[in-house]
């Protein structure tokens, strides 16, 4: 994970619940009242959700793969 990216790990959380949490986080951040130099600043985030299974790669490899996929579809 680099400069603008971060990960939230939710152990023992079903994929559907993790997706709901990610969506709530996106909404809450987009509705936050943030000011800089006394001017309102609006921002949004995008989230990706995945689930590790026992036979998957290491968490580090999975996060690296997710980061690469996110950069490939990012509108930057």
């Amino acid at each position: 994970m680099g400069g603008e990216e971060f990960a939230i790990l939710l152990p023992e959380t079903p994929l559907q619940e993790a997706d709901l949490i990610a969506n709530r986080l996106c909404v809450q951040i987009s509705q936050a009242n943030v000011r800089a130099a006394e001017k309102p600043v609006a921002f949004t985030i995008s989230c990706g959700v995945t689930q590790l299974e026992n036979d998957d790669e290491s968490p580090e490899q999975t996060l690296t793969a997710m980061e690469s996929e996110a950069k490939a579809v990012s509108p930057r």
Side-chain angles (χ1 to χ4, degrees):
M1 302 276 93
E4 298 174 351
E5 295 89 22
F6 64 92
I8 299 173
L9 304 180
L10 301 169
E12 307 296 325
T13 305
L15 192 57
Q16 280 186 310
E17 188 175 340
D19 192 50
L20 289 172
I21 292 168
N23 286 325
R24 274 190 251 139
L25 184 61
C26 288
V27 169
Q28 290 295 315
I29 287 176
S30 71
Q31 294 176 350
N33 292 318
V34 178
R35 298 183 72 75
E38 299 190 32
K39 294 182 181 176
V41 177
F43 58 97
T44 61
I45 64 168
S46 58
C47 296
V49 177
T50 192
Q51 183 173 9
L52 293 177
E53 300 293 337
N54 290 337
D55 58 345
D56 280 345
E57 306 169 326
S58 72
E60 293 83 6
Q61 290 172 318
T62 300
L63 288 172
T64 299
M66 285 184 65
E67 182 178 15
S68 295
E69 290 174 28
K71 285 181 180 178
V73 298
S74 176
R76 291 183 203 196

